Amino acid sequence: MNWDDTPPTGDEAASERLVGASADGEDQAVEAALRPKSLDEFVGQERVREQLDLVLKAARARGATADHVLLSGAPGLGKTTLSMIIAAEMGAPIRITSGPAIQHAGDLAAILSSLQEGEVLFLDEIHRMSRPAEEMLYMAMEDFRVDVIVGKGPGATAIPLELPPFTLVGATTRAGLLPPPLRDRFGFTAHMEFYAPAELERVVHRSARLLDVDIDADGAAEIAGRSRGTPRIANRLLRRVRDYAQVRADGVITREIAATALGVYEVDGRGLDRLDRAVLEALLKLFGGGPVGLSTLAVAVGEERETVEEVAEPFLVREGLLARTPRGRVATPAAWAHLGLVPPQAGATGGGQGQLFGA
Ligand SMILES: Nc1ncnc2c1ncn2[C@@H]1O[C@H](COP(=O)(O)OP(=O)(O)OP(=O)(O)O)[C@@H](O)[C@H]1O
């Protein structure tokens, strides 16, 4: 929370949002309890599940270690969960680390050399690893071997170190940022999509059961519809609605309770929060629907440019409410409809600034 006049940075704004996709402290505490433990329990992502099931069953039948797996997709879609399921299905232990935690090749060598045979190494944010570590990983993935460099300068020598076979599960939100030599070393790559509302309803029902929360079908549908295609957000909204149901009602989550509770938290029927709506409202009411430059839009809502661009816009674009064009940000007809506003007459759209501030 900012108490001064400094606009929040993108990261701060993202982390204090109820509909932010990254995990906050409370999420981390609860998520362990809510994680599906097997592929059968994992909701949705049918194609990924089927493909992964084949990869793991075949490896088990051969008595071999599973191929390296790359999982790409937005935060909160279940990449960590899936890596744990891979380990569980293979009956293997799992080690969890992340790209930013591996700054030096030596950090990676230490982890790799302490792996047990068949162990799953989950490397989150693999695109943020340092270049020397990345190069060491190429050889480790392909030959289960690393060269540890001892000494410096002309006297430095490379000592080869054999590794036990292991399965690397890499996770990234940006598969496009991975260098091709790294991408090519994964035997199986899965892209995780946003979840359909019906799938999120199943996530909500499952989590409600585990948290011992009473919820009916319409209540689950209401939460699912506001969860931006993301299980982590669905679980978080469920917890907030549960609080409301306990304090202000009889504890049972119905559609009405869910809608009222999420209204209190300023998450609207489509999952937009205060920031998203502020951006849309400025675009529509101040600039007639655009086009307007990002910086101008950011000033109008009192936020940093990065916050608008990285925190609010991706979801608005995905929802078809806002378009990024070479001339600036433009609202779509769906944006006008969502805020219950009437667009300017045909032919006048796009001239909003002129209408308001011109002549
Ligand atoms: N398919 C699913 N079925 C049920 N619950 C799920 C599913 N996917 C994710 N979840 C729940 O969503 C939460 C977030 O999942 P997870 O931590 O695996 O996401 P992630 O993609 O690894 O996120 P990040 O990129 O931020 O690490 C977990 O608590 C998990 O219980």
Side-chain angles (χ1 to χ4, degrees), residues 31 34-36 42-43 75-81 124 195 231-232:
E31 278 183 357
L34 296 181
R35 282 212 159 92
F42 194 79
V43 175
L77 297 188
K79 298 183 294 299
T80 308
T81 305
D124 204 2
Y195 290 67
R232 172 173 291 137

Side-chain angles (χ1 to χ4, degrees), residues 67-88:
D67 258 349
H68 303 304
V69 176
L70 179 64
L71 303 173
S72 74
L77 297 188
K79 298 183 294 299
T80 308
T81 305
L82 216 42
S83 74
M84 291 178 172
I85 290 176
I86 291 172

Side-chain angles (χ1 to χ4, degrees), residues 7 74 86 160 174 180 222 317 320 329:
I86 291 172
R174 327 267 292 265
E222 191 62 39
V317 171
R329 274 46 179 176

Side-chain angles (χ1 to χ4, degrees), residues 211-276:
L211 296 172
D212 206 12
V213 174
D214 209 347
I215 187 166
D216 70 14
D218 288 345
E222 191 62 39
I223 293 175
R226 299 178 188 225
S227 299
R228 303 160 77 106
T230 307
R232 172 173 291 137
I233 299 177
N235 285 339
R236 194 185 299 142
L237 296 188
L238 170 66
R239 297 200 301 275
R240 291 294 73 82
V241 174
R242 171 195 58 183
D243 295 347
Y244 181 93
Q246 268 171 10
V247 175
R248 300 262 173 94
D250 59 1
V252 181
I253 300 177
T254 60
R255 183 182 294 280
E256 200 190 340
I257 292 289
T260 313
L262 293 175
V264 170
Y265 288 105
E266 299 185 287
V267 177
D268 75 15
R270 210 163 164 166
L272 275 67
D273 73 351
R274 190 201 54 78
L275 174 66
D276 301 319

Side-chain angles (χ1 to χ4, degrees), residues 105-285:
D107 301 338
L108 182 63
I111 294 173
L112 291 172
S113 60
S114 65
L115 291 177
Q116 298 174 36
E117 180 160 349
E119 189 157 356
V120 171
L121 174 62
F122 178 60
L123 229 170
D124 204 2
E125 298 189 80
I126 191 169
H127 60 276
R128 293 181 59 196
M129 217 172 19
S130 73
R131 179 45 70 94
E134 200 174 273
E135 277 166 11
M136 175 179 274
L137 193 59
Y138 297 164
M139 197 197 274
M141 290 172 77
E142 200 152 278
D143 303 329
F144 298 113
R145 192 167 67 84
V146 288
D147 281 338
V148 179
I149 309 293
V150 180
K152 279 196 171 138
T157 44
I159 301 180
L161 189 68
E162 297 289 327
L163 303 173
F166 65 95
T167 299
L168 177 72
V169 180
T172 180
T173 47
R174 327 267 292 265
L177 290 186
L178 285 193
L182 180 55
R183 229 174 356 193
D184 294 346
R185 281 170 169 79
F186 287 96
F188 173 65
T189 300
H191 180 69
M192 315 213 16
E193 304 286 347
F194 286 100
Y195 290 67
E199 294 171 335
L200 287 179
E201 280 176 46
R202 285 165 54 206
V203 171
V204 170
H205 277 301
R206 181 181 171 278
S207 300
R209 215 172 35 246
L210 292 170
L211 296 172
D212 206 12
V213 174
D214 209 347
I215 187 166
D216 70 14
D218 288 345
E222 191 62 39
I223 293 175
R226 299 178 188 225
S227 299
R228 303 160 77 106
T230 307
R232 172 173 291 137
I233 299 177
N235 285 339
R236 194 185 299 142
L237 296 188
L238 170 66
R239 297 200 301 275
R240 291 294 73 82
V241 174
R242 171 195 58 183
D243 295 347
Y244 181 93
Q246 268 171 10
V247 175
R248 300 262 173 94
D250 59 1
V252 181
I253 300 177
T254 60
R255 183 182 294 280
E256 200 190 340
I257 292 289
T260 313
L262 293 175
V264 170
Y265 288 105
E266 299 185 287
V267 177
D268 75 15
R270 210 163 164 166
L272 275 67
D273 73 351
R274 190 201 54 78
L275 174 66
D276 301 319
R277 276 193 310 276
V279 170
L280 273 195
E281 259 174 42
L283 183 55
L284 301 183
K285 291 184 180 168

